[in-house]
Amino acid sequence: MHKSVDEAITSLHDLSAVDLIAGYRAKQFSPSEVLEDVLAHVAAWEPHLKALYAFDPDSAREVAKASTARWTGGEPSGPLDGVPVTVKDNIATKGVPVPLGAASVKLVPAEKDAPPAARLREAGAVIFAKTTMPDYGMLSSGLSSFHALARNPWDLSKNPGGSSAGAGSAAAAGYGPLHLGTDIGGSVRLPAGWCGLVGLKPSFGRVPIDPTYVGRVAGPMTRTVDDCALMMSVIAKPDRRDGMSLPAEPLNWKGLEKSPRKLRIGLMLDPGCGMALEKPVREVAVKAAKAFESAGSVVTEVDGILTREMLDGLDNFWRARMWDDLAKLTPAEQAKVLPYIFKWGESGAKLSGVDVIRGFNQTMAIRAAASKLFCELDYVISPTAPNVNFPAEWASPINDPMKPFEHIAYTVPWNMSENPAVSINGGFDAKGFPIGVQIVGRRFDDIGVLGMAKAFEGLRGTQRPWPKPPAH
């Protein structure tokens, strides 16, 4: 436990999921008590953050009450019984509409839970809310035409990142320990980096998801690596609805003890294209690499694998894909879309079929480059994002719909290559704003990537306290 058994626990919302389960087992507190503490904390933060959608405390209280009864009887229903959890807007939960962050989407209640939400519920988790996202998940921002503007608890004038924007805000603010996001170009890792969290993009197919798409994964956003692994032990179970999911595999998510000694690590400071790397971010990434070197790793600086042609090709492919969705809307519905997103997507109408195919084929080029890189390396360390932060009101760090992806050069290659990648807080800038470090592993080495993140937690040392709600 973070606090001894004899010490009065005053902040249940700050406890990890691992500690909550231990506390339930020891009968130190109940799921109902934990939920009430989380709800009180949400009430203090949410007017400032706007992180939640479909907030349903009453239903959550009933679920927590049933969980409390099970723990009292010594019969928990699963590994997350009684743990408060949030789920991103675009991951369906039965009976709740899925707006995808866009005012243009019709609000139709979902017929059933999507695979990762179903696994969480089966494991006994208390899903008390969903979290906000930008329009169609195509921004690294908390800006949305449907949801209120999400903000970063470390600095309310700054962006939490996205597209798992509300999840990042909620996790950093202490809305319970476990938060589920999705990632197709960095949408778990970027907000994790900007919010000081652990955010895992698993190997493609490791976590079944519906609907599935090239590069799209669901992954945990937590405060600790152990909590990330605990959540993965639940959501990585098979579901036949995902025809692109990996075969079931008996992975030991508790076996994270890993020595960095003699591991070959590449330090990637220049991704190959995109935004220039800001000095504080560079310093944090270099410090992380030196920490592994001091622990016995063999660290060498490596070139990035992303080219201008690759990034622009992905941009073209995604523009065309976005326009395919937007073109099906009525003019009135189109008018509701965030102008930044509509301007970006509309430009996809001008692309030829050959342009779009050339763009999609860049995913294959990225895969080939990543495979070649990992022939000689065990892991790659890089910044998660090139910049420290950006304004809350902006759609992206550059805020230009014609240059939408200059900030994802460190993250997007690993979606296309299917490698597991985790963002973990590496340090802070001079003003106390968190800076993320990314650790990437070979395809399917999810346990190893989390093991490296766990090792880094020890090498990194004590972090700053989590932000507190503003005084009224």
Side-chain angles (χ1 to χ4, degrees), residues 125-467:
V126 180
I127 302 174
F128 67 92
K130 302 193 75 175
T131 50
T132 62
M133 61 182 282
D135 291 47
Y136 301 98
M138 293 310 297
L139 294 178
S140 297
S141 172
L143 188 63
S144 163
S145 64
F146 180 81
H147 301 297
L149 178 66
R151 295 180 180 272
N152 194 311
W154 290 96
D155 181 341
L156 294 175
S157 73
K158 304 304 180 185
N159 212 295
S163 65
S164 304
S169 294
Y175 290 17
L178 303 181
H179 306 269
L180 182 64
T182 61
D183 189 317
I184 199 172
S187 290
V188 160
R189 289 159 291 157
L190 289 166
W194 286 316
C195 292
L197 305 168
V198 178
L200 175 67
K201 183 208 80 67
S203 297
F204 181 76
R206 179 71 70 202
V207 176
I209 192 168
D210 182 30
T212 190
Y213 198 77
V214 175
R216 183 172 185 253
V217 301
M221 300 175 72
T222 64
R223 288 183 170 186
T224 70
V225 176
D226 284 340
D227 272 6
C228 190
L230 176 61
M231 198 172 186
M232 281 297 295
S233 73
V234 169
I235 63 175
K237 294 178 180 177
D239 192 300
R240 291 182 179 177
R241 286 177 285 175
D242 184 351
M244 300 173 80
S245 60
L246 296 174
E249 190 175 350
L251 298 176
N252 180 15
W253 296 101
K254 293 182 179 179
L256 299 184
E257 298 306 320
K258 187 179 186 72
S259 171
R261 183 171 169 77
K262 295 185 179 181
L263 291 175
R264 299 168 300 171
I265 297 177
L267 172 60
M268 185 182 288
L269 295 174
D270 181 355
C273 60
M275 288 176 64
L277 181 61
E278 294 181 1
K279 184 179 178 181
V281 182
R282 179 187 178 92
E283 290 173 348
V284 166
V286 169
K287 184 178 179 181
K290 287 182 176 178
F292 277 108
E293 195 169 44
S294 69
S297 297
V298 179
V299 179
T300 55
E301 193 165 340
V302 296
D303 294 330
I305 63 172
L306 199 67
T307 65
R308 186 79 256 170
E309 185 179 12
M310 289 172 179
L311 188 59
D312 289 348
L314 286 177
D315 186 4
N316 283 341
F317 173 60
W318 282 339
R319 286 175 197 254
R321 175 176 173 252
M322 187 77 260
W323 184 243
D324 179 46
D325 290 334
L326 296 177
K328 296 171 185 175
L329 302 177
T330 66
E333 290 168 337
Q334 290 178 347
K336 296 178 180 179
V337 177
L338 195 72
Y340 181 105
I341 287 292
F342 190 83
K343 184 177 180 181
W344 170 70
E346 188 179 32
S347 66
K350 301 174 184 177
L351 297 169
S352 70
V354 173
D355 290 333
V356 177
I357 287 297
R358 283 175 179 160
F360 179 78
N361 283 345
Q362 293 306 315
T363 64
M364 300 297 107
I366 293 170
R367 288 176 72 100
S371 295
K372 183 178 179 181
L373 179 69
F374 276 94
C375 284
E376 305 298 330
L377 298 172
D378 299 304
Y379 298 96
V380 168
I381 291 176
S382 78
T384 302
N387 58 313
V388 175
N389 55 43
F390 63 105
E393 296 80 9
W394 284 15
S396 70
I398 291 182
N399 207 31
D400 181 352
M402 296 300 102
K403 297 180 179 179
F405 300 129
E406 299 302 297
H407 59 288
I408 67 172
Y410 290 104
T411 52
V412 72
W414 318 118
N415 293 82
M416 300 304 115
S417 66
E418 304 186 3
N419 296 57
V422 63
S423 178
I424 183 169
N425 186 40
F428 297 81
D429 76 349
K431 296 182 179 179
F433 198 88
I435 295 173
V437 170
Q438 181 178 231
I439 303 171
V440 188
R442 292 173 175 167
R443 287 178 72 206
F444 315 130
D445 187 21
D446 303 68
I447 299 292
V449 163
L450 287 180
M452 290 290 284
K454 178 72 173 176
F456 182 64
E457 276 185 331
L459 295 170
R460 181 190 63 187
T462 304
Q463 296 290 280
R464 295 171 186 259
W466 292 96

